[in-house]
Amino acid sequence: MTDNHKNRGITMLTMTRRNLLQGTAAMGALAFAGARTAFAQAPEDTKALYEAAKKEGTLTYYATAQAPITKRVTDRFSELYPGIKINVLRLATGQMAQRFASEMQAGNIVADVIQMADPLAFEDAAKAGWLAKPADLPAWSAFPKDYLTEHWALIGISPHTIVSNTDLVDAKDYPKDWKAMLDPRWKGQMILSDPRNNMEVADWAYTMFDAYGPEFLTGLKNQQPRFVESILPGIQMLAAGEAMILAPALHQATMLMMEKKAPVIDFSPAMTSGQETMMGVVAKAPHPNAARLLANFLLTRDGQERYCRDIAASPLPDIPGALTLSPQYQRGRYRQAAAKRAELAALLGLT
């Protein structure tokens, strides 16, 4: 682990094929090998698409990433492709999935590109015919196939973290693994994300259940945690001194608060789940060419650096600043988590 990674407070280990395999899916370093030479994009490869997009003049990007992450993506896109105004709507994943579904069901198509961390919501959207098939885009066709479906691409994997308030917790006591959260010192001093609101958090609860048994979740319940709707309001409460620790969290939220000089630090346990973020082009998008241009950019090396830097592992190799994953990282098992969601919530004392 480098000094920089220590300062960020996040555990960084090497991504391997073993840690990214789930079932029969071929993931990991070997899946990247072919992309190393095949993937080489430049703005001129999308010149005709850019000309068509400029005539549309604008696009709407639905994004669940924290605003500074989305801004560095859209700022770079605007540098490469001036003349296209980008309107961004930022919501937590659960809220985003609900809003997008409501709009599409009503025939009120607003979004051109949608990015969120819920593959089940993407599956539902694809079945409903709400997502385009952009396989002919140059970056899409060159992206590692194990991170693509017909309708969406996985653009980054962010490991879950535990956050401590540095004003309230001594450095020697920062919890650096999940079992440390059961220490009696945290009773009444813990904030937890609610798994009923977000499939990513439900997957975290399922990962804890699978690794440590139901008694771990019951132990968390006995710690008398305060539940929050999503990570960002939780970490704001933590920074304000309303608790000592928060979990599960993401480094992008901690980073946002650290930039504001908030007293927070985070650690990613070696065995962890994470946020696996997907992106797709909306079918019948109001600005289809601009939508396809942004989707293509997000899958280029340039776009991947802007999205993944400091907050996520990339499907592409050697992206500057991208995270690497522990060999013990657990890929999302959303269907299993969905099937056990009510049970997991009950174990945590939620009804």
Side-chain angles (χ1 to χ4, degrees), residues 14-33:
T14 303
M15 181 186 292
T16 67
R17 181 177 177 82
R18 176 166 58 90
N19 73 280
L20 287 182
L21 283 173
Q22 181 64 43
T24 59
M27 309 290 279
L30 293 181
F32 295 147

Side-chain angles (χ1 to χ4, degrees), residues 319-334:
I319 296 297
L323 305 189
T324 51
L325 299 177
S326 161
Q328 294 175 259
Y329 178 81
Q330 300 294 311
R331 285 302 313 278
R333 292 169 288 180
Y334 295 90

Side-chain angles (χ1 to χ4, degrees), residues 282-301:
V282 178
K284 300 181 181 178
H287 312 98
N289 294 297
R292 285 163 52 82
L293 192 64
L294 176 59
N296 188 82
F297 171 71
L298 280 164
L299 301 188
T300 64
R301 296 191 63 82

Side-chain angles (χ1 to χ4, degrees), residues 21 29 55 76 90 116 127 212 222 233 248 254 285 287 318 342:
L21 283 173
K55 294 177 182 178
R76 179 58 174 161
R90 197 267 164 194
M116 55 183 175
K127 289 176 183 176
Y212 305 126
N222 294 337
T254 310
H287 312 98
D318 305 325

Side-chain angles (χ1 to χ4, degrees), residues 64 91-99 116 118 197-199:
T64 61
L91 292 172
T93 290
Q95 296 171 318
M96 183 70 80
Q98 292 175 3
R99 174 161 179 157
M116 55 183 175
D118 187 343
N197 295 334
N198 190 312
M199 274 308 306

Side-chain angles (χ1 to χ4, degrees), residues 10-13 18-22 157-163 176-179 181 200-201 203-212 216 246-251 266-276 313 323-334:
I10 194 165
T11 301
M12 304 302 301
L13 298 173
R18 176 166 58 90
N19 73 280
L20 287 182
L21 283 173
Q22 181 64 43
I157 300 176
S158 301
H160 282 135
T161 64
I162 306 170
V163 190
K176 299 178 182 179
D177 62 71
W178 303 113
K179 287 186 176 181
M181 294 173 62
E200 168 208 326
V201 178
D203 178 65
W204 170 82
Y206 179 78
T207 300
M208 300 299 104
F209 175 91
D210 185 56
Y212 305 126
F216 177 80
L246 162 73
L250 295 166
H251 187 62
D266 64 357
F267 293 88
S268 182
M271 195 293 294
T272 192
S273 56
Q275 182 187 77
E276 303 186 8
L323 305 189
T324 51
L325 299 177
S326 161
Q328 294 175 259
Y329 178 81
Q330 300 294 311
R331 285 302 313 278
R333 292 169 288 180
Y334 295 90

Side-chain angles (χ1 to χ4, degrees), residues 91-263:
L91 292 172
T93 290
Q95 296 171 318
M96 183 70 80
Q98 292 175 3
R99 174 161 179 157
F100 180 65
S102 295
E103 290 176 347
M104 298 303 288
Q105 288 167 352
N108 178 30
I109 304 175
V110 178
D112 292 297
V113 175
I114 183 163
Q115 170 258 305
M116 55 183 175
D118 187 343
L120 300 186
F122 271 101
E123 286 181 13
D124 291 342
K127 289 176 183 176
W130 298 340
L131 296 175
K133 297 180 180 180
D136 60 324
L137 291 174
W140 194 287
S141 62
F143 208 68
K145 299 301 183 284
D146 296 313
Y147 295 87
L148 294 174
T149 73
E150 280 188 308
H151 298 96
W152 70 86
L154 190 155
I155 61 172
I157 300 176
S158 301
H160 282 135
T161 64
I162 306 170
V163 190
S164 299
N165 181 307
T166 58
D167 284 346
L168 302 178
V169 182
D170 291 337
K172 63 181 176 59
D173 296 324
Y174 295 152
K176 299 178 182 179
D177 62 71
W178 303 113
K179 287 186 176 181
M181 294 173 62
L182 300 184
D183 191 304
R185 79 181 70 209
W186 312 126
K187 188 169 185 176
Q189 293 294 330
M190 179 188 303
I191 296 172
L192 291 181
S193 299
D194 192 329
R196 299 171 300 179
N197 295 334
N198 190 312
M199 274 308 306
E200 168 208 326
V201 178
D203 178 65
W204 170 82
Y206 179 78
T207 300
M208 300 299 104
F209 175 91
D210 185 56
Y212 305 126
E215 57 272 19
F216 177 80
L217 298 182
T218 302
L220 290 180
K221 177 190 74 173
N222 294 337
Q223 294 284 58
Q224 300 175 359
R226 182 172 178 178
F227 287 91
V228 291
E229 184 175 339
S230 62
I231 292 169
L232 185 56
I235 201 168
Q236 290 170 337
M237 291 163 56
L238 183 79
E242 295 185 36
M244 292 183 176
I245 64 171
L246 162 73
L250 295 166
H251 187 62
Q252 59 178 282
T254 310
M255 185 172 65
L256 181 64
M257 299 305 295
M258 292 173 74
E259 288 172 353
K260 298 177 180 179
K261 309 302 182 183

